[in-house]
Amino acid sequence: MNFYLAAVMLGLGFIALGFGIFISMRIFNIPDITTDGSYTLGGVVTAVILIKFHSVPMAMAASVLAGIVAGSLTGFIHTKLRVNALLAGILVMTALYSVNLSLMGRSNIPLINVPVIYDWFAFITDAVMRQLTILILITLTLLLLLSWILKTDFGIAIRATGNSETMVRAMGVDTSKMKIIGLGISNGLVAMSGSLISQYQGFADINMGIGIIILGLGSVMIGETVTTVLKVESIFGRLVGVIVGTIIFRLILAFVLSLGIDPNYLKLITAAIVLTVVCIPTLRKARN
Amino acid sequence: MIELNTISKTFNAGTPQQVRALRDINLTIADQEFVIVVGANGSGKSTLLNVIAGVAMPSSGTILLDGMDVTHWEDYRKSRWIARIFQDPFMGTASELSILDNFRLAAIRTHKKGLSIGIDSKFKTKVQERIAMLGLGLEDKLEQRMGTLSGGQRQALTLIMAVMDDAKIILLDEPSAALDPRTAALIMAKANEIIREFGLTGILITHHLKDAALYGNRILLMREGSVVHDIKADEKRKMTVGDLQNWFV
């Protein structure tokens, strides 16, 4: 398979992750580290259920649900027990490591001879086309669903919560509840990404989530750079930006790897790219 | 009607930093009364407003709104009755959201924020009409981000937002303190107009004795957590800025 096409496919698998980070980081302004654990959780739950029950819908639903529970727990610890958001996320992420390990019973589960979501649409005979179609369909569904939710009255309340807490409480919104629900949705999406990627790679691994938050953040920020340049402000446009950002990020990583750089440096390169993107606004200001 | 019965609020109780911000306040505010609260810094004015709004919980005493005990209700629950205008013009609005989104939230302040899209052409027209009443030329900028507006513009919009949904009470904590004199006068006049027109019960904290003399039909002076003067209707009307100044010497 074409090297860059593979990168795009992997990128499509990571779009749910990008959306999840967009919600926690951009809408709620909470750097939610739970992500690293809930992404793995999604992969792990998927693998365990696929091995045991051979049911893709069940595996995917359970993964998303598990992610929602993990995210809500972080939200609960943050809002009700009044623990710093960053620390609340780290606590849940750390606890999830043990949960994931005990669910799997070992550190890695290969997905061989089990059905995966990419077996659907069997009428498309070309495997790559089939995977691509399925991933694009999932991406479009998520895009439409999220942009609709964020435009509803509930969505406006969610967006205002991360922006002006005093105002939104004066408007009758229970901000704690909003944060718990919001982090739940965010981590549900992240877990979905973990599920999609583990099925794509053909295994779930206890370490698959390490540094994943940076990957998501990088996607969101590259997308924002694009939307800022194009002066896009609508919610739909910003979500499309996340999709574009995720794909661009994957292509950059693929390009870097194609230069023959040792894959062991992948995380280092990822961090460097994200740092660069994060610094773009500062550098721009300094130049003006 | 707002009833405060022996309301006290002590910060840092039992420590050397203990502050008794409110001391056994008994206060009944009738419907459509417009109460002006004056007092030196640290006299407990803001704490009084915060306790009524549900931002701060009283240490003792009870609060009744229309006869219902709401002493320990948090601010978002009390928003059923209460609309609030803040000293900082940026606090009453969400800067990253469009003007329209801000107004949508205000329009459903007392309602559930459900999974349906409430912004349609009918709603837009309604918001446009309301904003046009301000005469600031903002009615054609509904899609613009709130953050692109000035403090005065945002404070003016906050006033209109307060009456987008049913409100009985409006709490104003120095709403014009951060504004230039001309805009401040405009905001105060608009606030007064809205309170009259919508038959609201209003509580206004202000340091401007001119405003205190000009507006309202009742005035309270607070000192060290207590209400030391309480002047109503006819007597209030006779009071001049000079009379009020004498309270502070």
Side-chain angles (χ1 to χ4, degrees):
Chain A
M1 193 188 351
N2 180 304
F3 188 64
Y4 288 102
L5 182 61
V8 170
M9 293 252 268
L10 202 56
L12 287 170
F14 279 123
I15 277 163
L17 169 77
F19 285 156
I21 300 285
F22 177 77
I23 290 175
S24 61
M25 208 77 109
R26 278 296 170 260
I27 294 192
F28 284 101
N29 253 322
I30 295 175
D32 177 24
I33 316 262
T34 319
T35 315
D36 278 25
S38 54
Y39 176 81
T40 312
L41 182 67
V44 166
V45 170
T46 297
V48 169
I49 291 186
L50 285 181
I51 297 281
K52 220 171 188 164
F53 300 102
H54 289 256
S55 163
V56 174
M58 196 205 238
M60 300 271 304
S63 301
V64 173
L65 199 67
I68 291 175
V69 171
S72 310
L73 188 62
T74 301
F76 177 83
I77 294 173
H78 170 47
T79 57
K80 301 289 178 186
L81 305 182
R82 315 238 165 161
V83 173
N84 172 292
L86 204 55
L87 182 57
I90 293 173
L91 286 172
V92 174
M93 176 198 75
T94 307
L96 280 177
Y97 190 86
S98 297
V99 172
N100 288 332
L101 206 52
S102 73
L103 278 175
M104 289 204 291
R106 54 196 156 126
S107 60
N108 185 298
I109 296 182
L111 293 172
I112 305 162
N113 296 327
V114 293
V116 291
I117 191 163
Y118 309 107
D119 298 335
W120 290 7
F121 295 156
F123 60 89
I124 305 174
T125 43
D126 182 64
V128 175
M129 278 310 291
R130 194 165 61 230
Q131 288 178 335
L132 203 58
T133 309
I134 289 167
L135 284 170
I136 288 175
L137 277 178
I138 292 174
T139 302
L140 287 179
T141 311
L142 285 180
L143 171 68
L144 294 176
L145 187 69
L146 282 178
S147 69
W148 175 75
I149 289 179
L150 290 174
K151 272 188 223 155
T152 62
D153 292 341
F154 172 74
I156 298 176
I158 276 196
R159 285 188 283 137
T161 298
N163 188 220
S164 177
E165 199 158 340
T166 322
M167 177 265 194
V168 84
R169 288 181 71 87
M171 297 300 168
V173 176
D174 180 353
T175 47
S176 300
K177 198 170 97 187
M178 284 295 156
K179 285 182 191 168
I180 294 172
I181 296 174
L183 288 181
I185 297 176
S186 163
N187 282 285
L189 286 165
V190 172
M192 182 174 182
S193 198
S195 170
L196 288 171
I197 296 293
S198 67
Q199 294 179 70
Y200 181 77
Q201 295 173 327
F203 65 86
D205 188 274
I206 189 69
N207 292 324
M208 67 189 273
I210 294 179
I212 210 76
I213 185 170
I214 292 301
L215 211 61
L217 182 62
S219 307
V220 169
M221 301 212 62
I222 293 173
E224 265 171 8
T225 311
V226 175
T227 51
T228 311
V229 169
L230 298 178
K231 295 197 165 50
V232 174
E233 280 194 356
S234 72
I235 276 296
F236 182 80
R238 290 171 71 189
L239 288 171
V240 172
V242 174
I243 298 178
V244 173
T246 313
I247 305 287
I248 293 179
F249 197 2
R250 271 291 130 191
L251 288 173
I252 295 174
L253 286 176
F255 173 72
V256 171
L257 285 177
S258 75
L259 296 176
I261 288 172
D262 185 343
N264 283 338
Y265 291 125
L266 190 59
K267 299 265 189 226
L268 179 66
I269 295 161
T270 310
I273 294 172
V274 172
L275 179 64
T276 313
V277 180
V278 171
C279 289
I280 286 177
T282 320
L283 294 175
R284 261 203 206 133
K285 249 183 229 157
R287 215 180 46 185
N288 292 340
Chain B
M1 188 158 73
I2 309 169
E3 291 171 78
L4 306 187
N5 302 313
T6 59
I7 286 289
S8 292
K9 174 69 184 178
T10 307
F11 291 106
N12 305 317
T15 71
Q17 289 88 36
Q18 173 168 312
V19 178
R20 291 189 64 190
L22 295 177
R23 301 169 191 240
D24 293 326
I25 301 252
N26 287 300
L27 187 63
T28 304
I29 298 172
D31 283 345
Q32 305 196 9
E33 229 171 3
F34 184 7
V35 183
I36 314 292
V37 185
V38 294
N41 289 323
S43 58
K45 304 184 302 292
S46 286
T47 307
L48 179 72
L49 220 58
N50 284 338
V51 162
I52 295 173
V55 177
M57 291 298 149
S59 308
S60 63
T62 55
I63 303 173
L64 277 69
L65 291 181
D66 288 339
M68 190 189 280
D69 187 339
V70 293
T71 309
H72 294 290
W73 284 34
E74 283 187 71
D75 50 354
Y76 69 89
R77 292 180 70 197
K78 282 185 182 157
S79 67
R80 261 171 57 185
W81 294 275
I82 299 175
R84 280 153 67 202
I85 312 291
F86 304 92
Q87 178 176 356
D88 181 349
F90 302 113
M91 272 171 88
T93 45
S95 47
E96 290 299 315
L97 271 57
S98 68
I99 296 179
L100 199 55
D101 284 341
N102 274 276
F103 269 79
R104 181 63 200 165
L105 267 189
I108 51 173
R109 197 187 69 243
T110 68
H111 298 77
K112 200 169 165 282
K113 282 78 182 159
L115 276 173
S116 61
I117 294 183
I119 297 177
D120 51 19
S121 56
K122 207 175 117 196
F123 181 74
K124 275 185 200 170
T125 317
K126 186 182 167 193
V127 172
Q128 250 166 353
E129 285 169 8
R130 289 283 177 97
I131 296 183
M133 289 185 344
L134 283 174
L136 293 173
L138 294 173
E139 56 274 17
D140 299 322
K141 300 181 177 169
L142 294 189
E143 308 288 347
Q144 209 167 308
R145 276 195 314 116
M146 195 54 107
T148 60
L149 305 184
S150 73
Q153 289 172 323
R154 286 174 73 167
Q155 202 68 319
L157 290 180
T158 316
L159 280 172
I160 304 281
M161 281 164 62
V163 286
M164 281 297 289
D165 197 359
D166 284 340
K168 299 204 76 161
I169 300 164
I170 185 165
L171 304 180
L172 308 109
D173 189 354
E174 298 188 57
S176 60
L179 307 173
D180 67 69
R182 210 183 72 90
T183 315
L186 202 96
I187 291 292
M188 276 312 305
K190 192 72 205 168
N192 187 53
E193 185 189 320
I194 282 176
I195 289 170
R196 290 278 153 272
E197 188 180 330
F198 288 85
L200 303 177
T201 307
I203 305 181
L204 166 77
I205 294 180
T206 184
H207 283 295
H208 287 279
L209 296 184
K210 230 175 95 187
D211 287 342
L214 190 58
Y215 299 112
N217 46 24
R218 184 174 175 186
I219 185 162
L220 306 180
L221 172 71
M222 290 194 69
R223 191 177 290 150
E224 289 170 10
S226 304
V227 175
V228 290
H229 283 291
D230 183 353
I231 311 290
K232 288 184 190 172
D234 288 340
E235 258 184 278
K236 157 88 170 74
R237 221 165 291 141
K238 288 182 219 140
M239 290 194 75
T240 63
V241 176
D243 295 334
L244 291 174
Q245 263 161 354
N246 288 335
W247 281 1
F248 286 88
V249 283

